Amino acid sequence: LNNGLSYIQTSSPLSFYDTSSGLKGSVYAIVKHRGELFAGTSAGLFAAVNKPGSKSFRPAGLEGIPVRSLYSDGINLFAGTDFGLYRSYNNDFKVVDEGKAFVLEYWAKQNILLAGGAGGLKAFDKTSGYSVKNTPSVEGEDIVGMAVYTNPTGSEELWIGTRYNGVISITSKS
């Protein structure tokens, strides 16, 4: 063993996927939607082929559009891209909003899907079919990350990471 390991056999649950499995571009996001695995990449959206033993992906829409974030509500698949927020129902993608959507986060207590990107944050109300809702004012910020945090008292906070101005915290009223 002074020269390293020449052979290892493990029963690992890990799988490795790359361009040989059909993925193109850099992978930005992964989500499971309706039992299918989807990958958002710099070259579009790809879905794992659902066949026993298959380890390949097929194009699933938005070809040539960088898909930076994904969210599934169990019925709809949302894709945050450089060209807007897209919503798919039965693999038919429609533009929900034309603003850049680099990061998606669902805030369950508020029933809103948040989309952050260059230029700020937008909120989409799930109870009204994902129509735009009054959005907390973070206009002009370049949003790079979001997380909903429930503190020990039970109230929730939305933490927003920005490219140039640090972290912003927004506290839930309910």
mmCIF file with all atom_site columns, all heavy atoms in Angstrom, residues 2 22 35-36 44 66 80 92 130 160 172:
data_model
loop_
_atom_site.group_PDB
_atom_site.id
_atom_site.type_symbol
_atom_site.label_atom_id
_atom_site.label_alt_id
_atom_site.label_comp_id
_atom_site.label_asym_id
_atom_site.label_entity_id
_atom_site.label_seq_id
_atom_site.pdbx_PDB_ins_code
_atom_site.Cartn_x
_atom_site.Cartn_y
_atom_site.Cartn_z
_atom_site.occupancy
_atom_site.B_iso_or_equiv
_atom_site.pdbx_formal_charge
_atom_site.auth_seq_id
_atom_site.auth_comp_id
_atom_site.auth_asym_id
_atom_site.auth_atom_id
_atom_site.pdbx_PDB_model_num
ATOM 1  N N   . ASN A 1 2   ? 2.135   1.149  -0.094  1.00 0.00 ? 2   ASN A N   1
ATOM 2  C CA  . ASN A 1 2   ? 2.987   2.337  -0.117  1.00 0.00 ? 2   ASN A CA  1
ATOM 3  C C   . ASN A 1 2   ? 2.804   3.146  -1.389  1.00 0.00 ? 2   ASN A C   1
ATOM 4  O O   . ASN A 1 2   ? 3.173   4.315  -1.448  1.00 0.00 ? 2   ASN A O   1
ATOM 5  C CB  . ASN A 1 2   ? 4.456   1.951  0.043   1.00 0.00 ? 2   ASN A CB  1
ATOM 6  C CG  . ASN A 1 2   ? 4.753   1.496  1.455   1.00 0.00 ? 2   ASN A CG  1
ATOM 7  O OD1 . ASN A 1 2   ? 4.025   1.867  2.380   1.00 0.00 ? 2   ASN A OD1 1
ATOM 8  N ND2 . ASN A 1 2   ? 5.792   0.703  1.628   1.00 0.00 ? 2   ASN A ND2 1
ATOM 9  N N   . GLY A 1 22  ? -25.667 11.884 -21.283 1.00 0.00 ? 22  GLY A N   1
ATOM 10 C CA  . GLY A 1 22  ? -26.620 12.748 -21.967 1.00 0.00 ? 22  GLY A CA  1
ATOM 11 C C   . GLY A 1 22  ? -26.746 14.151 -21.406 1.00 0.00 ? 22  GLY A C   1
ATOM 12 O O   . GLY A 1 22  ? -27.426 14.988 -21.986 1.00 0.00 ? 22  GLY A O   1
ATOM 13 N N   . GLY A 1 35  ? -41.845 11.856 -9.571  1.00 0.00 ? 35  GLY A N   1
ATOM 14 C CA  . GLY A 1 35  ? -41.096 10.616 -9.663  1.00 0.00 ? 35  GLY A CA  1
ATOM 15 C C   . GLY A 1 35  ? -39.954 10.629 -10.665 1.00 0.00 ? 35  GLY A C   1
ATOM 16 O O   . GLY A 1 35  ? -39.273 9.618  -10.827 1.00 0.00 ? 35  GLY A O   1
ATOM 17 N N   . GLU A 1 36  ? -39.725 11.754 -11.317 1.00 0.00 ? 36  GLU A N   1
ATOM 18 C CA  . GLU A 1 36  ? -38.657 11.872 -12.310 1.00 0.00 ? 36  GLU A CA  1
ATOM 19 C C   . GLU A 1 36  ? -37.585 12.817 -11.802 1.00 0.00 ? 36  GLU A C   1
ATOM 20 O O   . GLU A 1 36  ? -37.881 13.824 -11.163 1.00 0.00 ? 36  GLU A O   1
ATOM 21 C CB  . GLU A 1 36  ? -39.213 12.461 -13.617 1.00 0.00 ? 36  GLU A CB  1
ATOM 22 C CG  . GLU A 1 36  ? -39.128 11.544 -14.798 1.00 0.00 ? 36  GLU A CG  1
ATOM 23 C CD  . GLU A 1 36  ? -39.584 12.227 -16.082 1.00 0.00 ? 36  GLU A CD  1
ATOM 24 O OE1 . GLU A 1 36  ? -40.653 12.862 -16.075 1.00 0.00 ? 36  GLU A OE1 1
ATOM 25 O OE2 . GLU A 1 36  ? -38.859 12.118 -17.073 1.00 0.00 ? 36  GLU A OE2 1
ATOM 26 N N   . GLY A 1 44  ? -29.724 23.892 -20.679 1.00 0.00 ? 44  GLY A N   1
ATOM 27 C CA  . GLY A 1 44  ? -31.156 23.610 -20.684 1.00 0.00 ? 44  GLY A CA  1
ATOM 28 C C   . GLY A 1 44  ? -31.568 22.675 -19.567 1.00 0.00 ? 44  GLY A C   1
ATOM 29 O O   . GLY A 1 44  ? -30.851 22.493 -18.589 1.00 0.00 ? 44  GLY A O   1
ATOM 30 N N   . PRO A 1 66  ? -29.905 28.650 -20.017 1.00 0.00 ? 66  PRO A N   1
ATOM 31 C CA  . PRO A 1 66  ? -29.347 28.216 -18.737 1.00 0.00 ? 66  PRO A CA  1
ATOM 32 C C   . PRO A 1 66  ? -30.430 28.129 -17.651 1.00 0.00 ? 66  PRO A C   1
ATOM 33 O O   . PRO A 1 66  ? -31.093 29.115 -17.365 1.00 0.00 ? 66  PRO A O   1
ATOM 34 C CB  . PRO A 1 66  ? -28.335 29.312 -18.390 1.00 0.00 ? 66  PRO A CB  1
ATOM 35 C CG  . PRO A 1 66  ? -27.997 29.951 -19.693 1.00 0.00 ? 66  PRO A CG  1
ATOM 36 C CD  . PRO A 1 66  ? -29.258 29.872 -20.514 1.00 0.00 ? 66  PRO A CD  1
ATOM 37 N N   . GLY A 1 80  ? -36.007 28.432 -12.954 1.00 0.00 ? 80  GLY A N   1
ATOM 38 C CA  . GLY A 1 80  ? -35.479 29.788 -12.910 1.00 0.00 ? 80  GLY A CA  1
ATOM 39 C C   . GLY A 1 80  ? -34.328 29.895 -13.898 1.00 0.00 ? 80  GLY A C   1
ATOM 40 O O   . GLY A 1 80  ? -33.388 29.099 -13.846 1.00 0.00 ? 80  GLY A O   1
ATOM 41 N N   . ASP A 1 92  ? -45.154 21.193 -20.736 1.00 0.00 ? 92  ASP A N   1
ATOM 42 C CA  . ASP A 1 92  ? -45.388 22.342 -21.606 1.00 0.00 ? 92  ASP A CA  1
ATOM 43 C C   . ASP A 1 92  ? -44.966 23.594 -20.832 1.00 0.00 ? 92  ASP A C   1
ATOM 44 O O   . ASP A 1 92  ? -45.650 23.994 -19.900 1.00 0.00 ? 92  ASP A O   1
ATOM 45 C CB  . ASP A 1 92  ? -46.873 22.414 -21.996 1.00 0.00 ? 92  ASP A CB  1
ATOM 46 C CG  . ASP A 1 92  ? -47.165 23.561 -22.942 1.00 0.00 ? 92  ASP A CG  1
ATOM 47 O OD1 . ASP A 1 92  ? -46.258 23.973 -23.679 1.00 0.00 ? 92  ASP A OD1 1
ATOM 48 O OD2 . ASP A 1 92  ? -48.315 24.039 -22.934 1.00 0.00 ? 92  ASP A OD2 1
ATOM 49 N N   . TYR A 1 130 ? -50.127 31.300 -8.683  1.00 0.00 ? 130 TYR A N   1
ATOM 50 C CA  . TYR A 1 130 ? -48.780 31.852 -8.845  1.00 0.00 ? 130 TYR A CA  1
ATOM 51 C C   . TYR A 1 130 ? -48.776 33.220 -9.524  1.00 0.00 ? 130 TYR A C   1
ATOM 52 O O   . TYR A 1 130 ? -47.912 33.537 -10.325 1.00 0.00 ? 130 TYR A O   1
ATOM 53 C CB  . TYR A 1 130 ? -47.844 30.871 -9.561  1.00 0.00 ? 130 TYR A CB  1
ATOM 54 C CG  . TYR A 1 130 ? -47.572 29.639 -8.743  1.00 0.00 ? 130 TYR A CG  1
ATOM 55 C CD1 . TYR A 1 130 ? -48.245 28.452 -8.998  1.00 0.00 ? 130 TYR A CD1 1
ATOM 56 C CD2 . TYR A 1 130 ? -46.670 29.664 -7.684  1.00 0.00 ? 130 TYR A CD2 1
ATOM 57 C CE1 . TYR A 1 130 ? -48.006 27.314 -8.226  1.00 0.00 ? 130 TYR A CE1 1
ATOM 58 C CE2 . TYR A 1 130 ? -46.435 28.540 -6.914  1.00 0.00 ? 130 TYR A CE2 1
ATOM 59 C CZ  . TYR A 1 130 ? -47.103 27.373 -7.188  1.00 0.00 ? 130 TYR A CZ  1
ATOM 60 O OH  . TYR A 1 130 ? -46.874 26.255 -6.420  1.00 0.00 ? 130 TYR A OH  1
ATOM 61 N N   . ILE A 1 160 ? -31.754 36.363 2.686   1.00 0.00 ? 160 ILE A N   1
ATOM 62 C CA  . ILE A 1 160 ? -31.435 36.579 1.277   1.00 0.00 ? 160 ILE A CA  1
ATOM 63 C C   . ILE A 1 160 ? -29.970 36.966 1.155   1.00 0.00 ? 160 ILE A C   1
ATOM 64 O O   . ILE A 1 160 ? -29.535 37.960 1.756   1.00 0.00 ? 160 ILE A O   1
ATOM 65 C CB  . ILE A 1 160 ? -32.312 37.702 0.686   1.00 0.00 ? 160 ILE A CB  1
ATOM 66 C CG1 . ILE A 1 160 ? -33.787 37.361 0.846   1.00 0.00 ? 160 ILE A CG1 1
ATOM 67 C CG2 . ILE A 1 160 ? -31.961 37.954 -0.767  1.00 0.00 ? 160 ILE A CG2 1
ATOM 68 C CD1 . ILE A 1 160 ? -34.714 38.521 0.549   1.00 0.00 ? 160 ILE A CD1 1
ATOM 69 N N   . SER A 1 172 ? -41.339 37.183 8.973   1.00 0.00 ? 172 SER A N   1
ATOM 70 C CA  . SER A 1 172 ? -42.735 36.926 8.670   1.00 0.00 ? 172 SER A CA  1
ATOM 71 C C   . SER A 1 172 ? -43.630 37.613 9.684   1.00 0.00 ? 172 SER A C   1
ATOM 72 O O   . SER A 1 172 ? -43.331 37.632 10.874  1.00 0.00 ? 172 SER A O   1
ATOM 73 C CB  . SER A 1 172 ? -42.987 35.419 8.689   1.00 0.00 ? 172 SER A CB  1
ATOM 74 O OG  . SER A 1 172 ? -44.357 35.151 8.756   1.00 0.00 ? 172 SER A OG  1
#
